[in-house]
Amino acid sequence: MSDTNSSLPSIERLVEAFQRLPGIGPKSAQRLTYHLIRMKREESEELASAAIGIKDNLMTCKNCFNISEEKICGICRDENRDHTMICVVEEPLNVLAIERSRIYRGIFHVLYGVISPVHAIGPEDLKISELIERINHNDIKEIILATNPNLEGEATAAYIRDTVSETDKNIEISRLARGLPSGSDIEYVDDSTLVHALNSRSSIK
Amino acid sequence: MSDTNSSLPSIERLVEAFQRLPGIGPKSAQRLTYHLIRMKREESEELASAAIGIKDNLMTCKNCFNISEEKICGICRDENRDHTMICVVEEPLNVLAIERSRIYRGIFHVLYGVISPVHAIGPEDLKISELIERINHNDIKEIILATNPNLEGEATAAYIRDTVSETDKNIEISRLARGLPSGSDIEYVDDSTLVHALNSRSSIK
């Protein structure tokens, strides 16, 4: 076969690099690559330099392990937030989602994953001992376990609940409510969600 | 509001750069950015350098305007291909799609767009005069107009057909067949496709 576009090394190389990103298949990678070919040089250089910058400027917060540009992140540094309330999440992206809701004013703790025997991830691979240390050395009144509402998220929440209970501190432990998502249609909601929505029904007057 | 993740300059910057790419919305851009944060440095550097490399190493072929790493692309250089047959496409990506089918053995001509009065794109903005020049200076027997089967693609094909006819050369001009896509379900096929499939029906024995 002659060297058609698809076998040009510089194209192949970028297609492969894009394909390594989550949610980008071979066709999207190709479309992105061809878009870049036609982009202005400044724009593609900006993308490249932003991709490098993210490695050079970021670290994880020493308290909560959220992504930060300083040793202690902006949320942990913020004195207007409630430092007695820790919301425990799986990933830094979850912090972002909760922050977007603008309703939570406590601080966070990022686990970096969930307990998953299938993937050989145990409690020691997550930031759980660091969470217990925070609880032992600070005045914490409530822990909100905001792991995802699936099997692994539930198992991880249960494990943390048990471990926190063992500290003998008087800490309230809660889990995010489960029920119908806003704007959903009952007809299309899965059974498990409906069971939770029914069980946790609240009275209206 | 305190400086949460979303307002970290290096994160914002990469999210914005990703969002400028086609098909990547705010949430995907954020997911890609957070993935990059956790990627190995070598991997993100590879993406960055591939994005730069695509600008440094590529040009358009002097004959067919396809993307190339040399002045004349591999397809135009290939002596085993039929140089009397030109397949006219809208974009370099279309060359790739047709090459993938492995059934076409002629050469190409890339227009870089379609005639679109709405977007103020006229024939002079496309590589149409260059196509006519190729026809005038080479022994061309057939032109396949492989613009997309929509209004603008049809109008562009009609314009090129008329312009090529004016050259007074004896050139066969064809258009890709329209009909049911392989694996489709007649129930879900749109009316326009069905009309074409019926009109272009072929007898079976």
Side-chain angles (χ1 to χ4, degrees):
Chain A
M1 204 178 154
S2 67
D3 60 327
T4 62
N5 277 350
S6 57
S7 61
L8 291 183
S10 48
I11 292 187
E12 279 286 312
R13 198 181 154 201
L14 187 53
V15 169
E16 273 167 29
F18 272 131
Q19 258 184 271
R20 274 186 224 114
L21 299 176
I24 296 189
K27 285 214 170 175
S28 307
Q30 217 168 49
R31 201 174 55 238
L32 290 173
T33 298
Y34 274 76
H35 181 83
L36 236 76
I37 292 173
R38 297 185 67 180
M39 255 163 76
K40 287 192 193 123
R41 176 174 287 269
E42 308 88 79
E43 285 179 321
S44 57
E45 278 176 354
E46 166 59 16
L47 174 68
S49 119
I52 294 297
I54 210 108
K55 282 292 172 191
D56 289 336
N57 303 326
L58 294 182
M59 53 193 96
T60 51
C61 171
K62 281 192 159 192
N63 280 349
C64 71
F65 301 97
N66 189 15
I67 304 294
S68 173
E69 286 187 347
E70 298 180 57
K71 284 183 184 172
I72 305 294
C73 77
I75 296 175
C76 286
R77 280 201 316 272
D78 187 345
E79 289 177 4
N80 291 319
R81 298 187 73 121
D82 182 352
H83 285 248
T84 68
M85 188 188 276
I86 297 181
C87 178
V88 179
V89 296
E90 296 181 17
E91 302 290 344
L93 260 178
N94 302 144
V95 173
L96 224 57
I98 292 172
E99 283 298 279
R100 256 198 310 267
S101 75
R102 290 169 179 270
I103 204 181
Y104 181 67
R105 296 302 301 163
I107 53 178
F108 289 91
H109 190 89
V110 185
L111 295 173
Y112 285 94
V114 275
I115 298 171
S116 167
V118 180
H119 298 99
I121 301 170
E124 66 284 357
D125 298 312
L126 310 175
K127 304 286 184 194
I128 295 178
S129 59
E130 289 85 348
L131 174 65
I132 303 303
E133 202 159 312
R134 285 179 79 183
I135 290 171
N136 283 330
H137 293 90
N138 294 281
D139 177 28
I140 307 298
K141 294 202 170 71
E142 183 176 355
I143 302 274
I144 301 172
L145 297 171
T147 51
N148 288 325
N150 53 32
L151 257 180
E152 295 178 340
E154 296 295 355
T156 307
Y159 179 89
I160 295 175
R161 180 199 58 211
D162 295 347
T163 316
V164 171
S165 301
E166 283 166 15
T167 61
D168 281 336
K169 303 237 173 192
N170 188 21
I171 294 176
E172 205 180 309
I173 304 177
S174 61
R175 186 100 179 85
L176 294 185
R178 289 177 68 171
L180 302 176
S182 300
S184 61
D185 187 326
I186 289 177
E187 194 181 335
Y188 298 111
V189 160
D190 64 291
D191 291 351
S192 157
T193 301
L194 260 185
V195 167
H196 279 280
L198 277 166
N199 285 341
S200 309
R201 66 191 182 278
S202 56
S203 65
I204 49 171
K205 282 170 193 171
Chain B
M1 202 177 154
S2 68
D3 60 328
T4 62
N5 276 349
S6 58
S7 61
L8 290 184
S10 47
I11 292 188
E12 279 286 313
R13 198 181 154 201
L14 186 54
V15 169
E16 273 168 29
F18 272 129
Q19 259 185 271
R20 274 185 224 115
L21 299 177
I24 297 189
K27 285 214 170 175
S28 306
Q30 218 168 48
R31 200 176 54 238
L32 290 174
T33 299
Y34 274 76
H35 181 83
L36 236 75
I37 292 172
R38 297 186 65 181
M39 253 163 76
K40 288 193 192 118
R41 177 174 287 269
E42 308 89 78
E43 287 179 321
S44 57
E45 278 176 355
E46 166 59 18
L47 174 68
S49 121
I52 293 298
I54 210 107
K55 282 291 171 194
D56 289 336
N57 303 324
L58 294 181
M59 53 193 97
T60 52
C61 171
K62 281 192 159 190
N63 281 348
C64 72
F65 301 97
N66 188 15
I67 304 294
S68 173
E69 286 189 346
E70 298 179 57
K71 285 183 184 172
I72 306 294
C73 77
I75 296 175
C76 286
R77 280 201 316 271
D78 188 345
E79 289 177 4
N80 292 319
R81 300 186 72 120
D82 183 352
H83 284 247
T84 68
M85 188 188 276
I86 297 181
C87 179
V88 179
V89 296
E90 295 181 16
E91 301 290 345
L93 260 178
N94 302 144
V95 173
L96 224 56
I98 291 172
E99 282 299 280
R100 256 198 309 267
S101 74
R102 290 169 177 268
I103 204 180
Y104 181 67
R105 296 301 302 164
I107 52 177
F108 290 90
H109 191 88
V110 185
L111 296 173
Y112 285 93
V114 275
I115 298 169
S116 168
V118 180
H119 299 100
I121 300 171
E124 66 285 356
D125 298 313
L126 310 175
K127 303 287 183 194
I128 295 179
S129 58
E130 289 85 349
L131 174 66
I132 302 303
E133 202 160 311
R134 283 180 79 183
I135 289 171
N136 283 330
H137 293 90
N138 295 281
D139 177 29
I140 306 298
K141 295 202 170 71
E142 183 176 354
I143 301 274
I144 302 171
L145 297 171
T147 51
N148 288 325
N150 52 33
L151 257 181
E152 295 178 338
E154 297 294 355
T156 308
Y159 179 88
I160 295 175
R161 180 200 57 209
D162 295 347
T163 317
V164 171
S165 302
E166 284 166 15
T167 61
D168 281 334
K169 303 238 172 190
N170 188 21
I171 294 176
E172 205 182 308
I173 304 177
S174 61
R175 185 102 177 83
L176 294 186
R178 289 177 69 170
L180 303 176
S182 300
S184 62
D185 188 326
I186 290 177
E187 194 180 336
Y188 298 111
V189 160
D190 64 290
D191 292 350
S192 158
T193 301
L194 259 185
V195 167
H196 280 280
L198 276 167
N199 285 341
S200 309
R201 67 190 180 279
S202 56
S203 64
I204 49 170
K205 282 170 193 171

